[in-house]
């Protein structure tokens, strides 16, 4: 089993029955996951960064919500434009992106 350096959880508003509806989904969270996956591929970080989609975190007004472990850093209102910064500053630079944190 691969032990990633970062485990990233992205809310896609996925419900128990598998349907996706909710704020994070409506704000493009599925496209956000694709942007994270593309950045992992582009930077060859597949062994270091793992992505999972989640259901609701309960803070919909902050969505899309991204949570990064092992630090437990919560990012809010994340857009595709923020993905490169998260990789540059947090995953490769070791410093969470302060203005995105909630």
């Amino acid at each position: 089993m691969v032990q990633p350096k970062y485990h990233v959880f992205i809310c896609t508003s996925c419900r128990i029955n598998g349907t996706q509806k909710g704020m994070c989904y409506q704000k493009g969270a599925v496209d956000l996951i694709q942007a994270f996956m593309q950045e992992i591929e582009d930077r060859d970080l597949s062994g270091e960064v793992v992505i999972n989609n989640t259901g609701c975190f309960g803070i919909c007004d902050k969505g899309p919500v991204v949570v990064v472990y092992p630090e437990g850093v919560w990012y809010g209102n994340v857009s595709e434009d923020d993905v490169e910064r998260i990789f540059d500053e947090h995953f490769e630079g070791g410093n969470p992106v302060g203005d995105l944190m909630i």
Side-chain angles (χ1 to χ4, degrees):
M1 181 176 124
V2 174
Q3 192 72 10
K5 184 174 180 180
Y6 296 105
H7 197 163
V8 181
F9 297 90
I10 301 172
C11 176
T12 58
S13 307
C14 189
R15 303 298 192 248
I16 292 172
N17 66 3
T19 61
Q20 289 179 306
K21 61 182 181 180
M23 293 302 290
C24 290
Y25 175 75
Q26 292 173 10
K27 291 181 175 181
V30 173
D31 293 333
L32 187 61
I33 286 180
Q34 292 174 338
F36 269 86
M37 292 173 68
Q38 185 63 53
E39 204 66 31
I40 289 169
E41 183 179 319
D42 291 348
R43 296 176 189 239
D44 196 28
L45 294 174
S46 62
E48 294 187 37
V49 181
V50 174
I51 306 293
N52 284 99
N53 71 310
T54 71
C56 185
F57 287 118
I59 49 174
C60 301
D61 62 317
K62 304 286 187 195
V65 175
V66 174
V67 181
V68 179
Y69 284 100
E71 301 101 335
V73 172
W74 288 61
Y75 292 122
N77 297 303
V78 179
S79 71
E80 289 182 64
D81 293 337
D82 298 319
V83 173
E84 190 173 335
R85 282 184 62 212
I86 292 170
F87 274 81
D88 287 344
E89 296 177 30
H90 190 159
F91 300 155
E92 293 186 331
N95 298 308
V97 183
D99 61 302
L100 295 177
M101 292 174 65
I102 52 176

